[in-house]
Amino acid sequence: YNPEGDGGIYMIPGLIPILLQVQALLLSALAIVREREQGTMEQLIVTPLRKWELMLGKITPYLLVTIFNTVVMLWLGDVIFNVQVVGSYLQLIGLSSIFIIGSLGMGVLISNISQSQMQAVYIAMFVVLIPAIILSGLMFPRDGMPGVTYWFGEFLPVTHYLEITRGIMIRGIGANSLLGSIWPLIILSVVYFTASVLAFRKRI
C-alpha cells in the first residue's frame, strides 16, 4: 500500500489518533477538578440532573470541537502531506466519534479521581498519553512486545483506533474488515464513560 516508502503515508494516520487523544484527554481531564478548585462545584451539586447527564453535558462540547478538529486534520493531511482517505470518509468520521467519546470518558474519569488540575495532568500524561505513544503501535510493532505491555496497550482506545485509521486511510478497507478493532473500541468507550459516571460524586 506504500510502494514508494513515503513516511508521511505511514505516520499521518498514526499521528491523528495521538493528537486527538492528547486534546480530548487533557480537555476532559480538567473538567470536574477545575470546578472543585474554582469553587463552582456547588452549582453542579444542587442541580436535579442525574450523574450521567452531567457527565454527558461535560463531554458534549469537547466532542463537537474534537470532531471538527478531526475533519481539519484529515484536510491538512491531504493538503500538506498528500495523504488522502482511500476508504470511506463517513465511516472514518463515525468511528472517530466513538474513539473521541472513549477518550473523553477516560479524561473525565481521571478528573473525578484527581484532587487538583496538576494531578490530573500527571495522571493523564504518565498513565495514558505516554503509554499510548509507545504501546499503541505508532512507533514500535506490538507483536514483539512483552505480554504485560501488550495487554496494557489493549486497554487503550488509541491502539484500536490506530488500526482503524490506517486501515481506512491507507488500505481503503471498510468497517466490516475492521470489526476486530471496532468492537474493542466500542466496549472501551462504553466502559470508560460508565466508569466516569460511577466515579462522580455530587458532593464538594
Side-chain angles (χ1 to χ4, degrees):
Y1 302 99
N2 188 13
E4 297 180 358
D6 186 353
I9 294 178
Y10 180 78
M11 288 301 298
I12 296 303
L15 288 176
I16 289 176
I18 298 298
L19 294 175
L20 290 177
Q21 177 86 93
V22 171
Q23 180 182 22
L25 191 68
L26 291 182
L27 285 175
S28 56
L30 301 177
I32 302 299
V33 70
R34 185 189 298 116
E35 300 279 358
R36 295 196 189 100
E37 291 189 349
Q38 293 179 348
T40 56
M41 180 59 75
E42 295 89 343
Q43 299 176 18
L44 290 176
I45 294 174
V46 299
T47 59
L49 296 176
R50 298 181 179 89
K51 292 193 295 183
W52 71 267
E53 293 173 329
L54 284 173
M55 295 300 99
L56 186 61
K58 280 293 181 183
I59 71 172
T60 298
Y62 301 140
L63 174 63
L64 297 177
V65 170
T66 315
I67 291 176
F68 173 77
N69 288 342
T70 303
V71 176
V72 171
M73 283 191 284
L74 292 174
W75 176 74
L76 290 175
D78 184 9
V79 172
I80 298 177
F81 300 99
N82 196 30
V83 178
Q84 302 175 350
V85 179
V86 179
S88 172
Y89 195 90
L90 291 179
Q91 285 185 1
L92 181 58
I93 296 299
L95 294 171
S96 298
S97 301
I98 297 174
F99 165 71
I100 293 168
I101 291 173
S103 298
L104 291 173
M106 186 183 297
V108 174
L109 175 61
I110 293 173
S111 184
N112 281 324
I113 64 176
S114 301
Q115 300 301 315
S116 66
Q117 294 188 60
M118 187 62 66
Q119 183 183 11
V121 171
Y122 280 148
I123 294 175
M125 288 294 297
F126 293 105
V127 177
V128 181
L129 293 179
I130 293 178
I133 296 173
I134 299 174
L135 305 180
S136 64
L138 172 66
M139 301 176 62
F140 310 105
R142 300 191 69 245
D143 294 338
M145 293 182 181
V148 175
T149 54
Y150 178 88
W151 284 106
F152 186 86
E154 286 290 306
F155 289 96
L156 299 173
V158 69
T159 300
H160 308 285
Y161 181 57
L162 185 63
E163 294 294 326
I164 293 171
T165 55
R166 284 176 173 168
I168 295 178
M169 293 182 67
I170 300 177
R171 293 183 286 166
I173 59 179
N176 292 335
S177 301
L178 292 167
L179 293 178
S181 297
I182 292 175
W183 279 114
L185 182 63
I186 294 175
I187 292 172
L188 289 175
S189 297
V190 172
V191 167
Y192 286 127
F193 179 77
T194 303
S196 69
V197 173
L198 295 176
F200 178 67
R201 297 290 182 270
K202 293 183 69 174
R203 64 173 186 264
I204 300 178

